Short mmCIF file of all heavy atoms in Angstrom, two decimals:
data_model
loop_
_atom_site.label_atom_id
_atom_site.label_comp_id
_atom_site.label_asym_id
_atom_site.label_seq_id
_atom_site.Cartn_x
_atom_site.Cartn_y
_atom_site.Cartn_z
N THR D 1047 -4.06 -2.16 1.96
CA THR D 1047 -5.34 -1.93 1.31
C THR D 1047 -6.38 -2.93 1.80
O THR D 1047 -6.03 -3.89 2.49
CB THR D 1047 -5.23 -2.13 -0.23
OG1 THR D 1047 -5.01 -3.52 -0.50
CG2 THR D 1047 -4.13 -1.29 -0.84
N THR D 1048 -7.61 -2.71 1.40
CA THR D 1048 -8.59 -3.78 1.56
C THR D 1048 -8.22 -4.87 0.57
O THR D 1048 -7.37 -4.68 -0.32
CB THR D 1048 -10.02 -3.27 1.28
OG1 THR D 1048 -10.06 -2.72 -0.05
CG2 THR D 1048 -10.46 -2.23 2.31
N VAL D 1049 -8.84 -6.03 0.68
CA VAL D 1049 -8.56 -7.14 -0.23
C VAL D 1049 -8.93 -6.71 -1.65
O VAL D 1049 -10.05 -6.27 -1.90
CB VAL D 1049 -9.36 -8.39 0.19
CG1 VAL D 1049 -9.17 -9.52 -0.82
CG2 VAL D 1049 -8.96 -8.85 1.59
N PRO D 1050 -7.99 -6.82 -2.60
CA PRO D 1050 -8.28 -6.44 -3.99
C PRO D 1050 -9.41 -7.29 -4.57
O PRO D 1050 -9.49 -8.49 -4.32
CB PRO D 1050 -6.96 -6.72 -4.72
CG PRO D 1050 -5.91 -6.62 -3.65
CD PRO D 1050 -6.58 -7.18 -2.42
N GLU D 1051 -10.28 -6.62 -5.34
CA GLU D 1051 -11.41 -7.30 -5.98
C GLU D 1051 -11.26 -7.17 -7.49
O GLU D 1051 -11.04 -6.07 -8.00
CB GLU D 1051 -12.72 -6.68 -5.53
CG GLU D 1051 -13.00 -6.84 -4.06
CD GLU D 1051 -14.32 -6.21 -3.64
OE1 GLU D 1051 -15.14 -5.87 -4.52
OE2 GLU D 1051 -14.50 -6.03 -2.42
N TRP D 1052 -11.42 -8.27 -8.19
CA TRP D 1052 -11.31 -8.31 -9.65
C TRP D 1052 -12.69 -8.48 -10.25
O TRP D 1052 -13.42 -9.39 -9.88
CB TRP D 1052 -10.44 -9.50 -10.08
CG TRP D 1052 -9.00 -9.34 -9.72
CD1 TRP D 1052 -8.43 -9.62 -8.52
CD2 TRP D 1052 -7.95 -8.87 -10.57
NE1 TRP D 1052 -7.08 -9.35 -8.57
CE2 TRP D 1052 -6.77 -8.90 -9.82
CE3 TRP D 1052 -7.92 -8.45 -11.90
CZ2 TRP D 1052 -5.55 -8.49 -10.35
CZ3 TRP D 1052 -6.70 -8.04 -12.42
CH2 TRP D 1052 -5.53 -8.08 -11.65
N ARG D 1053 -13.01 -7.62 -11.24
CA ARG D 1053 -14.24 -7.81 -12.01
C ARG D 1053 -14.21 -6.96 -13.26
O ARG D 1053 -13.76 -5.81 -13.23
CB ARG D 1053 -15.50 -7.59 -11.18
CG ARG D 1053 -15.86 -6.18 -10.83
CD ARG D 1053 -17.26 -6.04 -10.24
NE ARG D 1053 -17.50 -6.29 -8.86
CZ ARG D 1053 -16.92 -5.74 -7.79
NH1 ARG D 1053 -15.95 -4.94 -7.91
NH2 ARG D 1053 -17.29 -5.99 -6.58
N ASP D 1054 -14.65 -7.56 -14.34
CA ASP D 1054 -14.81 -6.85 -15.62
C ASP D 1054 -13.57 -6.06 -16.05
O ASP D 1054 -13.65 -4.88 -16.39
CB ASP D 1054 -16.03 -5.91 -15.57
CG ASP D 1054 -17.32 -6.65 -15.27
OD1 ASP D 1054 -17.46 -7.80 -15.74
OD2 ASP D 1054 -18.16 -6.09 -14.56
N GLY D 1055 -12.41 -6.70 -16.01
CA GLY D 1055 -11.19 -6.04 -16.48
C GLY D 1055 -10.65 -4.97 -15.57
O GLY D 1055 -9.89 -4.10 -16.00
N GLU D 1056 -11.02 -5.02 -14.29
CA GLU D 1056 -10.57 -4.00 -13.33
C GLU D 1056 -10.27 -4.66 -12.00
O GLU D 1056 -10.96 -5.59 -11.58
CB GLU D 1056 -11.68 -2.96 -13.16
CG GLU D 1056 -11.31 -1.80 -12.27
CD GLU D 1056 -12.36 -0.70 -12.31
OE1 GLU D 1056 -12.32 0.12 -13.25
OE2 GLU D 1056 -13.22 -0.69 -11.42
N VAL D 1057 -9.23 -4.17 -11.34
CA VAL D 1057 -8.94 -4.57 -9.97
C VAL D 1057 -9.05 -3.31 -9.11
O VAL D 1057 -8.49 -2.26 -9.45
CB VAL D 1057 -7.56 -5.26 -9.83
CG1 VAL D 1057 -6.41 -4.37 -10.30
CG2 VAL D 1057 -7.33 -5.73 -8.39
N THR D 1058 -9.83 -3.40 -8.04
CA THR D 1058 -10.05 -2.25 -7.17
C THR D 1058 -9.78 -2.63 -5.72
O THR D 1058 -9.96 -3.78 -5.32
CB THR D 1058 -11.49 -1.70 -7.27
OG1 THR D 1058 -12.39 -2.71 -6.84
CG2 THR D 1058 -11.82 -1.29 -8.69
N MET D 1059 -9.37 -1.64 -4.95
CA MET D 1059 -9.14 -1.80 -3.53
C MET D 1059 -9.12 -0.43 -2.88
O MET D 1059 -8.98 0.57 -3.57
CB MET D 1059 -7.84 -2.56 -3.23
CG MET D 1059 -6.58 -1.93 -3.76
SD MET D 1059 -5.88 -2.84 -5.14
CE MET D 1059 -6.40 -1.90 -6.54
N VAL D 1060 -9.28 -0.41 -1.57
CA VAL D 1060 -9.23 0.85 -0.81
C VAL D 1060 -7.84 0.98 -0.19
O VAL D 1060 -7.39 0.08 0.54
CB VAL D 1060 -10.32 0.88 0.29
CG1 VAL D 1060 -10.16 2.11 1.17
CG2 VAL D 1060 -11.70 0.83 -0.34
N ASP D 1061 -7.18 2.07 -0.49
CA ASP D 1061 -5.87 2.37 0.07
C ASP D 1061 -6.07 2.81 1.52
O ASP D 1061 -6.80 3.77 1.78
CB ASP D 1061 -5.21 3.48 -0.75
CG ASP D 1061 -3.84 3.84 -0.25
OD1 ASP D 1061 -3.77 4.42 0.86
OD2 ASP D 1061 -2.86 3.58 -0.93
N LEU D 1062 -5.42 2.12 2.43
CA LEU D 1062 -5.56 2.42 3.86
C LEU D 1062 -4.33 3.13 4.42
O LEU D 1062 -4.02 3.01 5.61
CB LEU D 1062 -5.86 1.14 4.64
CG LEU D 1062 -7.21 0.51 4.29
CD1 LEU D 1062 -7.35 -0.87 4.91
CD2 LEU D 1062 -8.37 1.43 4.71
N ASP D 1063 -3.65 3.88 3.56
CA ASP D 1063 -2.63 4.84 3.95
C ASP D 1063 -1.27 4.26 4.29
O ASP D 1063 -0.26 4.77 3.82
CB ASP D 1063 -3.10 5.72 5.13
CG ASP D 1063 -4.53 6.17 4.98
OD1 ASP D 1063 -4.87 6.70 3.91
OD2 ASP D 1063 -5.32 5.96 5.92
N LEU D 1064 -1.20 3.22 5.12
CA LEU D 1064 0.09 2.68 5.55
C LEU D 1064 0.82 2.06 4.36
O LEU D 1064 0.21 1.41 3.51
CB LEU D 1064 -0.11 1.63 6.64
CG LEU D 1064 -0.69 2.12 7.96
CD1 LEU D 1064 -1.00 0.93 8.87
CD2 LEU D 1064 0.26 3.09 8.64
N ASP D 1065 2.14 2.26 4.33
CA ASP D 1065 2.97 1.71 3.27
C ASP D 1065 4.23 1.10 3.88
O ASP D 1065 4.84 1.70 4.77
CB ASP D 1065 3.41 2.82 2.29
CG ASP D 1065 2.22 3.58 1.73
OD1 ASP D 1065 1.36 2.95 1.11
OD2 ASP D 1065 2.17 4.82 1.91
N VAL D 1066 4.61 -0.06 3.39
CA VAL D 1066 5.87 -0.68 3.76
C VAL D 1066 6.79 -0.54 2.55
O VAL D 1066 6.45 -0.97 1.46
CB VAL D 1066 5.69 -2.16 4.16
CG1 VAL D 1066 7.04 -2.83 4.40
CG2 VAL D 1066 4.80 -2.26 5.39
N ILE D 1067 7.96 0.07 2.77
CA ILE D 1067 8.84 0.43 1.67
C ILE D 1067 10.24 -0.13 1.91
O ILE D 1067 10.77 -0.02 3.01
CB ILE D 1067 8.90 1.97 1.52
CG1 ILE D 1067 7.49 2.51 1.24
CG2 ILE D 1067 9.90 2.38 0.43
CD1 ILE D 1067 7.36 4.01 1.34
N ARG D 1068 10.80 -0.72 0.83
CA ARG D 1068 12.21 -1.13 0.87
C ARG D 1068 12.94 -0.37 -0.24
O ARG D 1068 12.61 -0.50 -1.41
CB ARG D 1068 12.38 -2.64 0.68
CG ARG D 1068 13.85 -3.07 0.81
CD ARG D 1068 14.02 -4.55 1.02
NE ARG D 1068 13.91 -5.29 -0.24
CZ ARG D 1068 13.61 -6.58 -0.31
NH1 ARG D 1068 13.34 -7.28 0.79
NH2 ARG D 1068 13.54 -7.18 -1.48
N MET D 1069 13.92 0.41 0.19
CA MET D 1069 14.73 1.18 -0.75
C MET D 1069 15.87 0.30 -1.26
O MET D 1069 16.26 -0.67 -0.62
CB MET D 1069 15.29 2.43 -0.05
CG MET D 1069 14.24 3.34 0.58
SD MET D 1069 13.02 3.97 -0.58
CE MET D 1069 14.04 5.10 -1.54
N ARG D 1070 16.44 0.67 -2.39
CA ARG D 1070 17.56 -0.11 -2.96
C ARG D 1070 18.78 -0.07 -2.06
O ARG D 1070 19.60 -0.99 -2.09
CB ARG D 1070 17.93 0.40 -4.34
CG ARG D 1070 16.88 0.06 -5.34
CD ARG D 1070 17.39 -0.37 -6.66
NE ARG D 1070 16.24 -0.47 -7.53
CZ ARG D 1070 15.53 -1.57 -7.72
NH1 ARG D 1070 15.89 -2.68 -7.13
NH2 ARG D 1070 14.47 -1.57 -8.49
N ASP D 1071 18.91 0.97 -1.23
CA ASP D 1071 20.06 1.05 -0.33
C ASP D 1071 19.88 0.20 0.92
O ASP D 1071 20.72 0.20 1.81
CB ASP D 1071 20.37 2.51 0.03
CG ASP D 1071 19.26 3.17 0.86
OD1 ASP D 1071 18.32 2.50 1.33
OD2 ASP D 1071 19.34 4.41 1.03
N GLY D 1072 18.74 -0.54 1.01
CA GLY D 1072 18.52 -1.46 2.12
C GLY D 1072 17.61 -0.93 3.22
O GLY D 1072 17.17 -1.69 4.07
N ARG D 1073 17.33 0.37 3.22
CA ARG D 1073 16.43 0.90 4.25
C ARG D 1073 15.03 0.33 4.06
O ARG D 1073 14.54 0.23 2.94
CB ARG D 1073 16.36 2.43 4.18
CG ARG D 1073 17.61 3.13 4.66
CD ARG D 1073 17.50 4.63 4.53
NE ARG D 1073 17.39 4.99 3.11
CZ ARG D 1073 16.53 5.89 2.63
NH1 ARG D 1073 15.71 6.54 3.43
NH2 ARG D 1073 16.50 6.16 1.33
N ILE D 1074 14.40 -0.02 5.18
CA ILE D 1074 13.03 -0.54 5.18
C ILE D 1074 12.27 0.23 6.24
O ILE D 1074 12.75 0.39 7.38
CB ILE D 1074 13.00 -2.05 5.49
CG1 ILE D 1074 13.78 -2.82 4.42
CG2 ILE D 1074 11.56 -2.55 5.57
CD1 ILE D 1074 14.06 -4.26 4.77
N PHE D 1075 11.08 0.74 5.88
CA PHE D 1075 10.33 1.53 6.87
C PHE D 1075 8.83 1.46 6.60
O PHE D 1075 8.39 1.16 5.49
CB PHE D 1075 10.82 2.98 6.91
CG PHE D 1075 10.81 3.69 5.57
CD1 PHE D 1075 9.73 4.47 5.19
CD2 PHE D 1075 11.87 3.57 4.70
CE1 PHE D 1075 9.72 5.13 3.97
CE2 PHE D 1075 11.88 4.23 3.47
CZ PHE D 1075 10.79 5.01 3.11
N LEU D 1076 8.09 1.74 7.66
CA LEU D 1076 6.64 1.87 7.59
C LEU D 1076 6.34 3.36 7.43
O LEU D 1076 6.77 4.17 8.26
CB LEU D 1076 5.99 1.32 8.87
CG LEU D 1076 4.47 1.40 8.96
CD1 LEU D 1076 3.81 0.58 7.85
CD2 LEU D 1076 4.00 0.92 10.33
N ASP D 1077 5.61 3.71 6.38
CA ASP D 1077 5.36 5.10 6.05
C ASP D 1077 3.89 5.46 6.25
O ASP D 1077 3.02 4.60 6.20
CB ASP D 1077 5.78 5.36 4.60
CG ASP D 1077 6.00 6.82 4.29
OD1 ASP D 1077 6.29 7.60 5.22
OD2 ASP D 1077 5.90 7.19 3.11
N ASP D 1078 3.65 6.74 6.44
CA ASP D 1078 2.31 7.34 6.50
C ASP D 1078 1.47 6.93 7.70
O ASP D 1078 0.24 6.89 7.63
CB ASP D 1078 1.54 7.10 5.20
CG ASP D 1078 2.14 7.87 4.03
OD1 ASP D 1078 2.81 8.89 4.27
OD2 ASP D 1078 1.96 7.44 2.88
N GLU D 1079 2.12 6.67 8.83
CA GLU D 1079 1.36 6.37 10.05
C GLU D 1079 0.52 7.58 10.48
O GLU D 1079 -0.58 7.41 11.00
CB GLU D 1079 2.31 5.94 11.17
CG GLU D 1079 2.92 4.58 10.92
CD GLU D 1079 3.79 4.12 12.06
OE1 GLU D 1079 3.24 3.47 12.97
OE2 GLU D 1079 5.00 4.40 12.03
N ASP D 1080 1.04 8.79 10.22
CA ASP D 1080 0.28 10.00 10.56
C ASP D 1080 -0.99 10.09 9.71
O ASP D 1080 -2.07 10.42 10.22
CB ASP D 1080 1.15 11.25 10.38
CG ASP D 1080 1.78 11.37 9.00
OD1 ASP D 1080 1.90 10.34 8.28
OD2 ASP D 1080 2.16 12.49 8.62
N GLU D 1081 -0.88 9.79 8.43
CA GLU D 1081 -2.06 9.80 7.54
C GLU D 1081 -3.06 8.73 7.96
O GLU D 1081 -4.28 8.96 7.95
CB GLU D 1081 -1.61 9.56 6.10
CG GLU D 1081 -2.68 9.73 5.07
CD GLU D 1081 -2.18 9.53 3.65
OE1 GLU D 1081 -0.97 9.65 3.40
OE2 GLU D 1081 -3.02 9.23 2.79
N PHE D 1082 -2.58 7.57 8.36
CA PHE D 1082 -3.45 6.49 8.83
C PHE D 1082 -4.23 6.95 10.07
O PHE D 1082 -5.45 6.76 10.15
CB PHE D 1082 -2.62 5.24 9.14
CG PHE D 1082 -3.42 4.05 9.58
CD1 PHE D 1082 -4.35 3.45 8.74
CD2 PHE D 1082 -3.20 3.49 10.83
CE1 PHE D 1082 -5.07 2.33 9.16
CE2 PHE D 1082 -3.91 2.38 11.25
CZ PHE D 1082 -4.84 1.80 10.41
#
């Protein structure tokens, strides 16, 4: 995301599509490169 910004009881940021995920079974992957 963009750097999270806090103001007036809210935190906002822009989701930039890419996700880093760790599953409980140990798999780790970069997701949504196509969406990015």
Side-chain angles (χ1 to χ4, degrees):
T1047 68
T1048 57
V1049 175
E1051 296 180 15
W1052 291 83
R1053 74 169 83 55
D1054 301 324
E1056 184 171 278
V1057 58
T1058 62
M1059 60 251 101
V1060 174
D1061 181 291
L1062 295 170
D1063 317 309
L1064 296 172
D1065 305 302
V1066 174
I1067 300 169
R1068 183 164 80 202
M1069 304 301 290
R1070 289 220 188 268
D1071 65 10
R1073 288 178 295 136
I1074 299 168
F1075 55 95
L1076 179 62
D1077 199 24
D1078 291 335
E1079 290 183 89
D1080 54 339
E1081 187 178 339
F1082 182 63

